[in-house]
Amino acid sequence: MIPRRDIAIIGAGAAGCFCAVQLSRLRPDLRITVYEAGPRPLAKVAVTGGGRCNLTNSFAAITDLSQAYPRGHRLMKRLFHVFNHEDTWRWFEAEGVPLVLQDDQCVFPQSQDAMQIVRVLLERMREGGVLLRTGQRLTRLEPRDDRWELTFNEDETLTADAVVITTGGSPKPSGLAFLGPLGLEIVPPCPSLFTLKVPQAPKSLMGTVVEEVAVSLAGTKYKAAGPLLITDWGLSGPAVLKLSSYAARHLAENGYRATLLVNWLGETNDEQARALIRSLAAGNPQKQVSSLHPDALTGRLWNFLLDRAGLRPDLRYAELGSKGLNRLAALLTGDPYEIAGKAAFKEEFVTCGGVSLSEINPNTLEAKRFPGLYLAGEVLDIDAVTGGFNLQAAWTGGAVIARSLAQ
């Protein structure tokens, strides 16, 4: 077989740049060019993790990959046999980037500077002879005999022996229009990582964090747990972000209107909540209900919840009665809020949907019907919850394609 010589990587994000570095080391004889539509490479990496770059996760809290990857977990399980989070840790440390593991199992560069990751990848690309061209938007892609014809910005056409698509998530189907001539099955894209607009949320408690809550959508199987943050527009934090990922398509199909149930006591059930309240009452029958609250809740939040339960702040525990106790326990474990839309999560943007996984070879990420065409990252119907999992999918996909092309 005549070795492929010209490799075009479309998209200078995490997957594309990592693929370029790996491939340049495995096959220095190849001519590798990375084309980026925007003005800067790795722009999303530069802002991820609040500018600190949560580049992977220990996966210690993950018992099933579907917890991290609501879409694509079976494929990720297979690909992790080739390159996983431990490989990512070793690779970056070998390149001079010391990493640290946080208590929440998120992995960051010790410098807490996302630009260190950007600089290392760009330096390794230059060292490998990889050409980077920005301001190059791919508008058409078609097979021509044994090569690929690519059209950029509607007017510049060139050819390549193999093409790697790592353009990231597309909020609208039009973002994948360049793949149209190929007839690939596209799963309609929609946002999958966002906070929730909840008008009933108390703006006066903006900034309040409850460390362990459970949230769910009424009438569905969708639920998540973790810290919750009250914002000036509604609710955020890891619990809400995970829920938004799990229920991304359901929420999109319902116009981002649904009933959110908040269990302010985490995984505590109704009976356990009643027992907790009884224990508070038993030791402090003459204290006002407003003055004594569960340790997990702040006094201000507790008083807000008492008001939602219809209980007077001057009510004494001895006066609570079974009806008041039941009403309070029910609210603590299933406090309902009407969702009235979504809001972006910082500068990060993740989508579900994209090229259907049925279109690709799960071992190589090569398109089944188009030899020489590879896809990785969010352009595929793969996405993850927050916590470094999306970047890990990018590193893994880039590494797998590099090895596939090198053989």
Side-chain angles (χ1 to χ4, degrees):
M1 177 184 291
I2 299 174
R4 292 190 175 109
R5 297 291 300 168
D6 293 293
I7 311 298
I9 298 177
I10 313 301
C17 290
F18 197 64
C19 179
V21 173
Q22 297 274 34
L23 185 57
S24 69
R25 292 178 172 182
L26 293 169
R27 288 288 300 275
D29 58 306
L30 298 176
R31 288 190 294 265
I32 306 167
T33 306
V34 179
Y35 299 89
E36 167 59 37
R40 298 189 313 277
L42 297 162
K44 193 171 178 180
V45 172
V47 300
T48 188
R52 298 187 298 131
C53 193
N54 180 190
L55 78 168
T56 189
N57 193 284
S58 76
F59 285 75
I62 301 299
T63 56
D64 186 290
L65 278 184
S66 63
Q67 295 171 316
Y69 297 97
R71 288 150 291 272
H73 64 278
R74 291 184 181 87
L75 176 61
M76 292 307 303
K77 183 176 182 179
R78 182 188 294 254
L79 299 180
F80 274 2
H81 291 298
V82 179
F83 193 94
N84 63 17
H85 58 288
E86 294 174 345
D87 297 310
T88 297
W89 184 294
R90 284 190 291 266
W91 192 90
F92 278 101
E93 291 220 317
E95 300 302 321
V97 184
L99 304 179
V100 293
L101 176 65
Q102 295 188 164
D103 291 341
D104 60 3
Q105 305 307 311
C106 294
V107 177
F108 289 83
Q110 194 175 81
S111 65
Q112 301 290 296
D113 182 9
M115 290 308 297
Q116 184 182 19
I117 302 300
V118 172
R119 288 191 296 269
V120 164
L121 289 172
L122 293 180
E123 286 169 7
R124 300 304 176 266
M125 286 169 62
R126 284 193 293 269
E127 292 167 2
V130 176
L131 179 64
L132 173 64
R133 296 186 60 188
T134 57
Q136 301 294 311
R137 181 174 299 280
L138 182 64
T139 53
R140 193 170 182 84
L141 174 67
E142 291 184 281
R144 286 283 186 265
D145 299 322
D146 292 331
R147 289 172 68 82
W148 287 89
E149 183 176 280
L150 303 94
T151 302
F152 292 92
N153 303 328
E154 302 290 356
D155 55 8
E156 181 183 357
T157 300
L158 53 84
T159 62
D161 294 290
V163 177
V164 180
I165 305 295
T166 54
T167 49
S170 174
K172 297 179 181 178
S174 59
L176 301 175
F178 67 91
L179 294 173
L182 303 181
L184 295 172
E185 180 186 351
I186 304 294
V187 179
C190 66
S192 67
L193 184 63
F194 47 85
T195 63
L196 299 175
K197 292 182 179 179
V198 180
Q200 296 167 289
K203 290 183 172 58
S204 62
L205 296 180
M206 178 181 67
T208 298
V209 175
V210 184
E211 288 300 330
E212 192 59 38
V213 305
V215 290
S216 60
L217 296 183
T220 77
K221 63 181 179 180
Y222 300 112
K223 59 183 180 179
L228 179 140
L229 169 67
I230 298 174
T231 71
D232 59 344
W233 64 85
L235 299 174
S236 183
V240 168
L241 292 170
K242 282 193 282 186
L243 182 67
S244 78
S245 185
Y246 296 149
R249 197 159 296 285
H250 172 83
L251 286 168
E253 291 170 352
N254 287 276
Y256 301 98
R257 296 294 190 273
T259 300
L260 177 73
L261 300 178
V262 179
N263 185 332
W264 295 101
L265 301 177
E267 302 293 343
T268 300
N269 62 33
D270 193 69
E271 179 54 44
Q272 291 168 330
R274 285 197 293 272
L276 173 63
I277 298 167
R278 287 194 195 99
S279 69
L280 292 174
N284 307 274
Q286 295 309 310
K287 277 202 170 186
Q288 292 182 347
V289 176
S290 60
S291 67
L292 191 64
H293 54 81
D295 294 337
L297 307 178
T298 67
R300 292 174 65 209
L301 176 58
W302 176 248
N303 277 277
F304 168 75
L305 295 174
L306 290 177
D307 183 64
R308 279 180 64 78
L311 299 174
R312 303 190 326 271
D314 62 346
L315 187 72
R316 300 184 186 280
Y317 269 103
E319 303 169 324
L320 188 58
S322 59
K323 287 185 178 180
L325 184 147
N326 290 338
R327 194 159 68 242
L328 182 56
L331 185 87
L332 288 173
T333 56
D335 190 7
Y337 294 87
E338 294 307 311
I339 298 170
K342 61 178 174 60
F345 173 54
K346 299 181 181 178
E347 298 89 351
E348 299 179 41
F349 191 84
V350 177
T351 62
C352 69
V355 176
S356 171
L357 300 186
S358 65
E359 292 280 4
I360 63 167
N361 182 322
N363 297 312
T364 64
L365 298 182
E366 185 175 26
K368 292 176 181 177
R369 295 186 285 137
F370 297 99
L373 177 65
Y374 297 79
L375 303 99
E378 284 181 57
V379 71
L380 294 171
D381 188 21
I382 298 175
D383 64 281
V385 300
T386 185
F389 301 108
N390 279 297
L391 269 181
Q392 182 56 55
W395 311 132
T396 295
V400 168
I401 290 177
R403 296 185 190 191
S404 301
L405 277 167
Q407 293 175 358

